Each structure stands twice: as C-alpha cells, then as structure tokens.
Amino acid sequence: MKTFYITTPIYYANSVPHLGHLYTMVVADTVARYKRQQGIETYFLTGTDEHGINIERAAERAGRTPKEQADYVVGYYKKMTAAFGLDTAHGGYDIFMRTTEPFHYEGVTEFWRRLARTKTPKGNDAIYKGHYEGWFCAACAAYKTEDEYAKPARPELPPTCLIHETPLDRVSEESYFFRLSDYDEDLLKLYESRPNFVQPESRLNEVKSFVAGGLQDLSISRLKSSVKWGVPVPDDPSHTMYVWFDALTNYITAIGFGNAERDKVAGFKKYWPGTHLVGKDILRFHAVYWPAFLMAADVEQPRNVIAHGMWVDATGRKMSKTLGNTIELDVLERFFPTDTVRYFCLREMVFGQDGRFGYEALIDRTNSDLASGLGNLSSRTLTMIGRYCDGVVPSGKIAEDRLLLAKRTGVDTDETTIAGFIEHARTQFLQHFENFAFSRALEVAWSIVARIDKMISDAKPWDLAKDPNQQQTLNAVLYRSAEALRWLSVMLYPVMPEAAQEIYTQLGFSESVGNVNPRELSWGGLPENTRIGEVKPLFPRIDKAKTLAAISASRSGTHATEADAVPEAATSSQTTPAPPMERATEADAVPGLASFIDIDDFAKVDLRVGEVISAERLPKSDKLLLMKIDIGEAEPRQVLAGIAEYYEPEKLIGRKVVVVANLKPRKLRGHESQGMVVAASIGEQGRPVIATFTEDVPNGARLK
Ligand code: MSP
C-alpha cells in the first residue's frame, strides 16, 4: 500500500503560537487529508522543539522550569490545534511530537553515535572536538556570520540579529563539530540528481548557491555549563547537543528510528522518507544540514523539502512575537469559523511567496468567495430542489421529445458540455494540489462556482418552474447544479473539511466526504431520487464594521496576557499592540482601544516629517539625545529624545523622522524640547525604534 509522511517544523516551546505557526499546520493538514482521501496511508507530524537556551531563558523569566514552560506552551498548542480541527480527534495530526519524549532521547542518541562512528566522503571523522568562537542568536538557535548581524551602536554592546533585532550571545568554548565542509560535493550531487528535492525551484537555486559558496563545519554541542536544557552528548555528558541537531532528528525518531516501541506504533520503514514543509527562513537547516547529517548516518534522504513564504505585516516584516506584529490565534478563533481561516490561508498566499494577512481582507474574502460564492450556490441549489422537486434530487435527463422545448430556453441540452468543463477543472485542481499551488487550485474550483452560478442565472429556474412543460429543463439545471456541488464538496474537503462535509450531508449523503476519492469522481454519480438533507447556511456573512471594532476592542487584552504569560526570545514579553496590517481600517489602526476617536481628534495631533540636522549626547545623561530637526520651518526645532542607549547620534544625522510638532514645549535638564520624535516601543524595556520613511518625503510634510 502507498504511504505518505508529511511533517511541519516542530515549534519552539518558548512562546504561544500565532498565525505564522498555524499556517504550516493548516497546509500540512490539508495535504494529509488530500492524500488520505485518495486512500494513501498517511502520517502527519507536528509538535514542539523544547530544548535550548531560548526555552531555558523564557522559562526563567516566567518563573518556571524549562519542562513546565514547554508543558504550558504545549497545552496552548493542543488547545489551538483542537479549536482549528488540526488534532487527531478531528482527523488531523497523527503525532504531536515533543523532543522531551524519552523515545526521542534514545533515537537522537543513536543518531549521534552513528555519526560519531562515520568517516566523511573525504575520509575524515564526521564528528570531532574543537573550539567555537563566535556570535549566537538564541531566538534563531543559530550562529551568525558577519553578514547576518547588525553592528552594535556602541562598541561595548553586542551585535544584534538581523531577523529578531535582539542582542547576540558571545560563545567561546569547547564544542563538538560536524564536518559539514566535507559534504559539499555530495550535497550538490543530491540537488542535481533530484531537481524536486527542494521546492519551489527558486529556493533550490538559493540552497545550491549557498552550498557552492563553500560550507563551514557546524558546531553541534554546547558545554553543559552554558546550556543545560537539552539532550546530553553520548559518552560526554559535559556537552549538550545543539538544539537543531536534536530537533531535526525528531522527524525520524517520531516514526521509530532508534526505538523499537515507537517503531511499532508508527513505522520507520513504512513511512520514511517524508515530505518536510518548512518556512523559507529555516530552509538551510532542512536542505543542507539535515541532508548532510542523514548522509553521514546512512539514512535515506527526505522525499522533498517544500518551503513556503512568510506572513508579513504591512511594512513587509515577518510576523513575529519579537516584532509585536502577530495575528493571535485566539482572536481568529473567536471571530472566524475555522474553515474560513483555512480557506483564506491557502487562497491568499501564493505558495512559496510572502503573503499579507489582514482582518479586513479575511472578512472580504469570507463574504465574497464563501458567503456569496460557494455558500450561496449551495443554498440556492438546495432550496430550489426543496421547493420545486419536493426535496428530492431530480433526474438530469431531458427526454428526446422535450429537447426542442428546452433549447428554446437557452439551456444547453447536452450535459456533457458542463460535465467536460468540470472534469477538466478537477484535473487542473489536482495538478495544482500536487504542486502545492493551493491558491491556483482554489481559483480553478471557483471557476466551477462561477460557471454554475451563471448557468442558474441564465436558465432562471424560478421562471421555468412556472411552466409545467419545462419541468425536465428545470430538473436538468437543478441536477447539474447539485452534481457540481457534489464535486466541489469532494474537491474542497482537504481545504474546508467541515463545510465540505456539510454540503455533502445537505446533498443527502450519509458517508464521510473525506473518504471519497476526487480522482474517481465521475459525472452523474449523484443518484437521482436522493432525498436532500436539511438546508442550513454554510458561511454566514460577517458584519465588517462590527467585527473589526470587536477585534480591535478585544486585542489589547488577549495580546498582553498571552505574551506576558510566555514571553518569547531575548526581548521577552510584548505588550505593544500590533501595527495595522495591510488594508487596515481605522478600527485596525487603533488596536486595543475599546472606543474610537473621531478623525477630528486625530487631526489635533500635528505630525510632521523632519530631518535630523544635528544630534549629540546630553552631558550627564545616559538616555537623552539633543537633536536639531528641520520640520520645514524657518528654524530647526530642538528636540530631546530618550534614545541615547540605542542610537549613535552621528548615525541619526540626515535621517527622516516623524515629529509631533504641536506638543507643549517642556524643559528637560535645562534644555527646552520643542516636540517629540515618534518611535515604536519594543519589549519590556521599551526599546525605541524610530519611525521613518522608505520613500523620499519633503521636510515639513504633514502626516494625515
Ligand atoms: N524550532 C524550529 C524548527 C525546528 S524543525 C526541526 C523553528 N521553530 S519556530 O517556532 O520558530 O518556527 C516554526 C515554523 O513557523 C517555521 O517554519 C517558520 O517559518 C514558521 N513561521 C513563523 N513565523 C512565520 C510567519 N510569519 N509566516 C509564516 N510562517 C512562519 O524554527
């Protein structure tokens, strides 16, 4: 029997998940359902990555042990996966993998031992002991080279991670290394021989050029005195395994590598090699390090590594807790049906590219594609079958002697036209699904919705119903419409399991639509005389203004408590409200406010574009900078700002900033401050990040 194994990355157990994390699970769940529907025995893994310094620190901040911290986060994951129908009980994942499981310790220990016994293709020991010297980002759990960090504002400060914008740790200690540099040729051969190994192709090219540029050996352990929370290195407990070494191995330990009990439950031979779904930000780990480890361990390579893009905010920055711009899952869960969120994720993001997530866009799509589109097609079809055919699916056949009559109404008497269209659409839909092109697949499915809608509008069944001679024409239109709905429900099941089942049940079927193979659909499979079920609305319209206001009012509370409870990464908790997302409305732009202000209230604040002319530290103050800022007036303004710990004065000169120009002047340390520079406030310490422009703007321009 054919088998299929799909994995999501395992998520860091330091903080609660957001939309970015949910997304990979939704994609994996969709693919798993798609495979199962075709009778392929499928194993779907998701879970948590629970070791490492980042979790150790998050736990410390929350006053928990690392295991308690992981348990807390896992509790939240389980709650959310259940709420979004992604858990086992809802037909979702088969294992929620945790790297703290004893079977994983056993498996990863065995994996390390195998590598430690191995010679590289160039005849060297695959693992050796050395000394590591360099910068490490706890949030990425990765060492950073010079082009991967930002130089500090002052020489005594550490550099910061370009992704997380948080300070790096200096590491200078004994370490075990994996001799990655000896695997470049074999890796390049792998990419050449298997062009689909990494998808999409553009990502494969990135990986190839990274490897072709030369590989450095990889530090794969930390001294236990620096990082306690992790798997001990076999035969040398003074070292803890590097968290990525431990984490990547989960993909095989979960199905039984290195543990006979686990092997019985899942089956390593049965399911490996698997398909890894990952965000493009962690592709290198999956497409370079992991394959090299597997080569060294003499384990078969994954089937493929599929990289998706990032959900970004309106300014194009990756959605992340550290940046404070996340879409929280409990907000999504409270305000939107699960299938709506699933549909939006798959329809809106062109797979492989970055996508923008906004509540307004989500509501618009729900209302147009789902409520007015699919939902309306379903309810009008079934309601008409109820009204004109006593709730029984009519025959789709038009008898010879009625053909002429039917033709006069403009209805196509040859049902193979519509059948051919839908069959072709199904083929395309499946093809796109095979290529992970979900957005295109859904476009194709909606071309069926549009076609059937048009058929109904053109045929006007409500008029046909008035003429008893046109009963067969009316029946044919309704049959075609109902049959198209059946096809749609089968095709859309992996994306919207609940709604698809609902349509299928309303059509009168009692079985699970998840067991119907879309490849085996054939036109006419909807039996005549089927009694349809109770007709219920599938996707109620969402009141945009009300919902946006309610989200806005609810956001500050949930955001603060969630983030406070489990602060992420080095910057700790985020109480800063998320910035507005793309297509944000006014309601979105003021998250956290239970009541709105008038546009007139906003207009009272005179915000101007300014240019920093000079900037210097204020003597005897660590925090204050004194700046002269040109805001298009006769004289530049003198403004004091508490940013000296974070910005070098010289680097600010010439920078465009936003100034609150009508703030009452006040004296600070004997100097008058005639305005305020606008900045985001990040993390518990309120690290300021000055607002600026990416386009050229004249000094003095007003912000409205
Ligand atoms: N623990 C590692 C993975 C180890 S796998 C052996 C890790 N964890 S993570 O929690 O930081 O990220 C997990 C996944 O979530 C990654 O695939 C990442 O790309 C994804 N996302 C996190 N933020 C995201 C967005 N804003 N958008 C889309 N996916 C994002 O990395």
Side-chain angles (χ1 to χ4, degrees):
M1 184 178 210
K2 260 184 147 183
T3 63
F4 183 78
Y5 176 35
I6 187 150
T7 67
T8 72
I10 46 169
Y11 303 93
Y12 287 129
N14 59 334
S15 70
V16 297
H18 56 70
L19 173 80
H21 304 112
L22 182 81
Y23 175 66
T24 328
M25 286 191 264
V26 165
V27 176
D29 182 80
T30 301
V31 175
R33 286 175 198 268
Y34 169 79
K35 296 284 178 184
R36 287 188 183 125
Q37 208 182 9
Q38 297 178 42
I40 299 168
E41 210 176 329
T42 299
Y43 205 77
F44 163 20
L45 168 147
T46 192
T48 37
D49 183 355
E50 305 192 2
H51 293 131
I53 191 73
N54 213 21
I55 285 135
E56 220 172 289
R57 286 182 185 156
E60 211 174 276
R61 281 195 300 269
R64 302 184 174 111
T65 65
K67 181 65 168 53
E68 283 167 354
Q69 175 71 12
D71 288 347
Y72 175 84
V73 173
V74 168
Y76 189 85
Y77 263 96
K78 296 242 168 115
K79 190 176 118 199
M80 279 302 148
T81 46
F84 283 90
L86 299 161
D87 62 348
T88 312
H90 291 86
Y93 60 70
D94 294 284
I95 182 171
F96 189 96
M97 178 64 189
R98 299 188 59 175
T99 52
T100 44
E101 294 278 2
F103 72 76
H104 174 69
Y105 273 61
E106 247 183 70
V108 72
T109 302
E110 163 63 15
F111 193 69
W112 179 294
R113 285 215 161 98
R114 276 218 199 175
L115 265 65
R117 293 195 293 265
T118 302
K119 294 282 183 211
T120 68
K122 296 181 183 162
N124 300 306
D125 288 336
I127 291 183
Y128 66 94
K129 209 181 217 181
H131 184 87
Y132 189 83
E133 185 86 45
W135 294 105
F136 184 79
C137 171
C140 295
Y143 294 98
K144 297 281 161 171
T145 53
E146 221 168 292
D147 53 343
E148 290 170 328
Y149 58 69
K151 298 256 159 54
R154 279 187 276 149
E156 65 273 22
L157 295 175
T160 47
C161 169
L162 288 180
I163 298 167
H164 293 93
E165 300 175 12
T166 50
L168 302 182
D169 298 333
R170 183 75 190 160
V171 175
S172 170
E173 63 187 33
E174 182 187 79
S175 169
Y176 283 96
F177 283 82
F178 174 70
R179 208 180 297 271
L180 185 65
S181 57
D182 274 8
Y183 287 86
D184 51 353
E185 283 166 22
D186 284 21
L187 285 169
L188 289 171
K189 269 190 226 153
L190 169 71
Y191 309 140
E192 282 309 322
S193 63
R194 289 174 52 185
N196 291 330
F197 183 67
V198 174
Q199 291 176 44
E201 202 187 341
S202 54
R203 299 268 166 247
L204 172 66
N205 294 336
E206 275 168 27
V207 170
K208 272 188 194 166
S209 55
F210 173 74
V211 174
L215 293 172
Q216 287 186 355
D217 292 349
L218 193 69
S219 162
I220 52 166
S221 78
R222 291 290 303 271
L223 278 180
K224 188 163 182 198
S225 50
S226 318
V227 181
K228 280 184 259 338
W229 181 234
V231 185
V233 166
D235 310 317
D236 189 352
S238 64
H239 280 261
T240 305
M241 282 183 201
Y242 173 39
V243 61
W244 270 101
F245 185 93
D246 153 12
L248 286 162
T249 311
N250 100 90
Y251 296 133
I252 54 174
T253 61
I255 49 171
F257 178 91
N259 183 286
E261 283 309 304
R262 191 64 218 148
D263 198 31
K264 269 189 231 146
V265 178
F268 177 67
K269 275 217 178 78
K270 179 170 171 188
Y271 288 112
W272 190 253
T275 289
H276 300 313
L277 267 181
V278 300
K280 66 178 184 186
D281 55 333
I282 56 170
L283 181 59
R284 186 180 299 175
F285 297 92
H286 287 81
V288 181
Y289 304 163
W290 179 227
F293 294 159
L294 289 168
M295 282 174 188
D298 198 20
V299 173
E300 202 181 331
Q301 292 299 322
R303 185 191 295 263
N304 41 28
V305 183
I306 314 293
H308 64 74
M310 297 289 114
W311 288 104
V312 297
D313 66 17
T315 62
R317 293 190 314 170
K318 176 185 158 187
M319 185 187 293
S320 87
K321 269 261 160 62
T322 321
L323 299 177
N325 59 356
T326 53
I327 296 278
E328 305 295 325
L329 298 190
D330 44 4
V331 175
L332 280 180
E333 195 231 332
R334 195 161 350 136
F335 293 99
F336 301 95
T338 305
D339 279 353
T340 309
V341 177
R342 290 173 70 105
Y343 172 76
F344 184 85
C345 282
L346 293 163
R347 175 67 184 80
E348 192 76 5
M349 193 187 264
V350 175
F351 199 76
Q353 295 174 18
D354 290 349
R356 290 195 177 162
F357 197 106
Y359 291 115
E360 194 174 347
L362 171 57
I363 295 171
D364 285 345
R365 267 217 184 278
T366 303
N367 287 344
S368 63
D369 299 8
L370 300 179
S372 307
L374 179 65
N376 187 48
L377 175 65
S378 171
S379 70
R380 76 200 292 212
T381 302
L382 292 164
T383 307
M384 286 192 287
I385 292 179
R387 190 171 303 154
Y388 306 134
C389 313
D390 295 328
V392 168
V393 174
S395 159
K397 305 281 172 251
I398 305 175
E400 286 286 328
D401 61 342
R402 299 275 144 171
L403 284 178
L404 210 60
L405 213 59
K407 269 195 185 130
R408 276 196 216 131
T409 66
V411 169
D412 188 343
T413 50
D414 181 4
E415 71 169 333
T416 60
T417 317
I418 197 94
F421 174 84
I422 293 180
E423 270 162 19
H424 179 65
R426 182 263 314 268
T427 309
Q428 280 185 314
F429 178 90
L430 296 179
Q431 196 54 49
H432 289 315
F433 241 80
E434 292 294 324
N435 296 330
F436 301 91
F438 308 106
S439 180
R440 300 190 68 184
L442 291 169
E443 267 175 42
V444 170
W446 258 255
S447 73
I448 301 179
V449 175
R451 174 82 185 237
I452 300 297
D453 259 338
K454 183 162 183 327
M455 177 191 76
I456 295 175
S457 312
D458 290 349
K460 299 190 188 61
W462 41 93
D463 285 346
L464 296 176
K466 289 179 197 148
D467 180 355
N469 288 327
Q470 292 291 7
Q471 183 67 44
Q472 289 194 13
T473 318
L474 171 67
N475 287 354
V477 170
L478 294 181
Y479 182 86
R480 290 171 197 178
S481 183
E483 175 64 344
L485 268 180
R486 182 178 75 95
W487 281 55
L488 280 168
S489 66
V490 173
M491 285 157 64
L492 293 175
Y493 162 76
V495 178
M496 295 187 285
E498 277 178 30
Q501 184 62 56
E502 191 56 47
I503 298 176
Y504 205 62
T505 308
Q506 291 187 27
L507 277 170
F509 292 101
S510 52
E511 64 185 305
S512 163
V513 68
N515 294 332
V516 185
N517 187 342
R519 290 185 195 279
E520 288 170 5
L521 283 170
S522 74
W523 186 260
L526 173 63
E528 171 186 339
N529 288 331
T530 306
R531 176 151 295 281
I532 61 166
E534 188 191 343
V535 183
K536 292 184 229 153
L538 287 173
F539 305 102
R541 282 190 81 74
I542 299 179
D543 182 324
K544 185 146 113 186
K546 257 196 203 156
T547 307
L548 287 175
I551 291 173
S552 186
S554 77
R555 247 202 255 162
S556 60
T558 53
H559 202 90
T561 41
E562 281 313 333
D564 278 348
V566 246
E568 186 189 67
T571 48
S572 77
S573 72
Q574 283 294 321
T575 45
T576 334
M581 307 298 285
E582 192 207 23
R583 298 166 77 178
T585 58
E586 227 175 297
D588 249 354
V590 282
L593 293 185
S595 57
F596 297 105
I597 58 165
D598 256 33
I599 189 80
D600 298 342
D601 295 324
F602 174 69
K604 285 183 196 148
V605 187
D606 186 7
L607 293 169
R608 300 286 172 127
V609 176
E611 182 177 335
V612 181
I613 305 296
S614 68
E616 59 191 78
R617 289 181 193 285
L618 209 61
K620 296 200 205 119
S621 167
D622 290 344
K623 300 213 163 100
L624 289 174
L625 284 188
L626 186 144
M627 293 181 277
K628 290 271 164 46
I629 304 179
D630 176 2
I631 61 164
E633 296 171 335
E635 295 279 318
R637 294 274 186 114
Q638 172 168 293
V639 176
L640 285 113
I643 55 173
E645 288 168 298
Y646 301 93
Y647 285 92
E648 285 290 1
E650 313 79 65
K651 291 204 177 135
L652 287 173
I653 296 169
R655 178 151 176 183
K656 296 279 181 176
V657 293
V658 177
V659 175
V660 184
N662 60 345
L663 200 66
K664 200 192 264 172
R666 64 175 184 145
K667 272 205 165 162
L668 290 165
R669 306 222 164 193
H671 299 269
E672 188 175 76
S673 185
Q674 304 158 336
M676 189 176 86
V677 172
V678 176
S681 172
I682 307 292
E684 247 171 16
Q685 274 93 37
R687 178 171 66 91
V689 176
I690 295 177
T692 192
F693 298 90
T694 49
E695 285 156 78
D696 210 15
V697 278
N699 299 344
R702 177 125 204 239
L703 276 82
K704 297 189 202 173

